[in-house]
Amino acid sequence: MLTAEMKDGRMVTLALLPKEEVESLRLETFYCPACKSDVLIKSGIKVIPHFAHRSKVECTYSGGEGEFHQKGKLLLYQWFIDQGVNVRIEYYIAEIQQRPDIYFEIGSKKVAIEFQCAKIPLKEVIKRNEGYRKLDITPIWILGTNLYERVTTDLIKIHPFAHHMVHQYREEGPTFLYYLCPREEKISIIQHIYFLKGNIAYVQQQMYPLQQIDLRHLFAEKPLNIHRYVSVWRNEKKRFRLYRQMTYGKERKWESSLYEKRLHRSILPSYIHLPIKNQMVMRVSLWQWQSRILYDLIDDKEIHTTFTEKEAEWLIRSQMMDLSYFPLLKIEKHPAREYLELLCQVGIIREMTKGVYVKKKQISHYKNLDEALDGDYELLLGFMYNKEHIEHSL
């Protein structure tokens, strides 16, 4: 830990003090802010000055932290200080027994920043988020760049535990994710996160030297780059259609049921496997649940037959995660509704009244792969550029 308490209640952060002063404090007694047990000063040529428990104890402050993590906390702390923010480092919140790396208040807004450099269990992420929510504290998770996994210029791999660290600050707004490199003193601000397959996501990202930006940059929304978006999804649709590896479990079972209907992913309609903002709340792949809605709910119906949004939600209910696991998202639309809106855009269905749809066209399939790839591109250009117009008019 970087901060400890003196007998008179003063909090001391060793790393912010001159080396001589740190040495003079070795004769003082310090206590852990959480468990109140004695702690020792640890410092040296290659070590950031910090405190450590004298023995193993059950405490929120117990457990070693690497230099990468400690340097990141100090960097963020100094960044807020330079902006005139009244900030605290390693502030212990007794009501929920949690210790965010950084805590500050601006007006009535309370914010806790967690700088996370190691993969932790999902239940721990959920526990911390729930704790902050109880006290109306907004958590902001910033990942260490040691957890950053780049696939291509536009694609990154996001570990499942980090799905629950994706932020969204307003309904209809973009999703955000942050990575900090303490060594280079740079922060990567990632927006518009759309999962393609598994943990691979399309993102827009920009890296900034920390000292060249301020707090407002963390929340500044950038427009979606439609040209890059269409290009990436065109390649993804091609990958999807050419996929030859073995599938397993329920996906394999569902794929086999489509084979029985003489349907293969290479000739499926272009309006299967389309980007959905809230895909991260789904347990299964995009194409799997979208094709289930299309074939189990819409395909067998006659033209002009109606169905409801609730039927679509019920159909994929077991394929979704509990939405309470995503307290940082403003999930204003069920993934089923997102998909039904896309089907409305391409003219397959029409919404008659709120949540009630009517089938307008029969489901058709391609004759071959080349025809399917051309159809994919035509559809992507159509509905994605229309989407850009809609978003800019909000």
Side-chain angles (χ1 to χ4, degrees), residues 151-351:
V151 179
T152 67
T153 302
D154 303 290
L155 304 179
I156 66 172
K157 183 177 182 180
I158 304 176
H159 191 275
F161 87 95
H163 293 190
H164 304 264
M165 299 173 183
V166 174
H167 308 69
Q168 189 179 21
Y169 300 107
R170 67 176 184 89
E171 292 185 358
E172 300 289 351
T175 42
F176 287 80
L177 190 61
Y178 308 100
Y179 289 90
L180 176 70
C181 180
R183 297 191 181 99
E184 296 184 8
E185 300 188 0
K186 292 181 178 180
I187 189 167
S188 180
I189 301 177
I190 290 173
Q191 296 188 42
H192 300 293
I193 302 164
Y194 285 84
F195 281 86
L196 282 72
K197 57 185 179 71
N199 300 321
I200 306 299
Y202 166 81
V203 300
Q204 286 182 199
Q205 52 190 322
Q206 182 69 52
M207 180 167 280
Y208 302 93
L210 201 58
Q211 297 309 316
Q212 292 182 14
I213 63 172
D214 58 31
L215 180 59
R216 292 171 296 179
H217 283 78
L218 297 182
F219 315 105
E221 298 179 4
K222 302 290 185 181
L224 180 66
N225 185 331
I226 285 293
H227 302 286
R228 292 300 306 161
Y229 191 47
V230 169
S231 177
V232 167
W233 272 97
R234 186 183 186 186
N235 290 334
E236 169 57 21
K237 292 283 281 185
K238 183 176 182 179
R239 181 209 66 81
F240 164 72
R241 292 195 183 280
L242 295 174
Y243 189 82
R244 291 292 182 270
Q245 296 180 24
M246 179 72 73
T247 54
Y248 298 94
K250 292 182 179 180
E251 183 173 15
R252 175 67 175 174
K253 185 177 180 180
W254 175 243
E255 199 167 33
S256 297
S257 70
L258 292 179
Y259 285 157
E260 293 175 2
K261 298 179 182 180
R262 297 185 178 181
L263 294 176
H264 184 269
R265 63 172 68 200
S266 63
I267 61 168
L268 291 176
S270 293
Y271 34 85
I272 287 177
H273 196 59
L274 290 179
I276 296 292
K277 180 185 293 185
N278 291 323
Q279 169 62 18
M280 74 181 72
V281 309
M282 302 301 299
R283 299 180 187 276
V284 300
S285 60
L286 276 164
W287 87 273
Q288 192 175 343
W289 68 266
Q290 290 180 0
S291 61
R292 187 170 291 278
I293 288 178
L294 200 66
Y295 290 111
D296 282 1
L297 181 61
I298 301 174
D299 186 44
D300 291 338
K301 286 181 168 52
E302 299 291 334
I303 299 294
H304 305 310
T305 303
T306 61
F307 64 94
T308 67
E309 183 180 324
K310 290 296 182 184
E311 289 179 85
E313 291 179 6
W314 178 258
L315 191 63
I316 63 172
R317 67 194 185 284
S318 64
Q319 298 175 326
M320 288 184 63
M321 298 184 69
D322 189 333
L323 296 185
S324 66
Y325 288 176
F326 301 88
L328 306 184
L329 295 182
K330 306 290 185 183
I331 302 178
E332 78 287 352
K333 290 180 184 176
H334 192 286
R337 178 165 184 84
E338 280 193 81
Y339 184 55
L340 293 176
E341 287 180 352
L342 294 181
L343 293 181
C344 286
Q345 286 188 44
V346 297
I348 300 301
I349 60 176
R350 179 169 64 86
E351 188 170 18

Side-chain angles (χ1 to χ4, degrees), residues 347-388:
I348 300 301
I349 60 176
R350 179 169 64 86
E351 188 170 18
M352 299 176 62
T353 59
K354 183 69 172 179
V356 178
Y357 299 84
V358 60
K359 182 176 178 180
K360 299 295 292 181
K361 292 181 181 179
Q362 293 290 0
I363 308 301
S364 59
H365 307 93
Y366 293 110
K367 296 177 181 178
N368 54 58
L369 177 62
D370 289 337
E371 185 179 287
L373 293 175
D374 289 341
D376 289 343
Y377 188 47
E378 182 179 350
L379 179 125
L380 289 172
L381 286 175
F383 94 82
M384 286 186 175
Y385 277 97
N386 183 48
K387 181 177 180 180
E388 179 185 39

Side-chain angles (χ1 to χ4, degrees), residues 97-113:
Q97 297 183 345
Q98 290 179 212
R99 172 187 57 113
D101 294 313
I102 302 293
Y103 177 84
F104 63 91
E105 297 180 7
I106 296 181
S108 60
K109 194 74 172 177
K110 298 180 289 185
V111 179
I113 292 184

Side-chain angles (χ1 to χ4, degrees), residues 40-52:
L40 296 170
I41 291 178
K42 297 282 188 177
S43 65
I45 297 176
K46 298 183 179 181
V47 177
I48 294 176
H50 63 283
F51 296 97

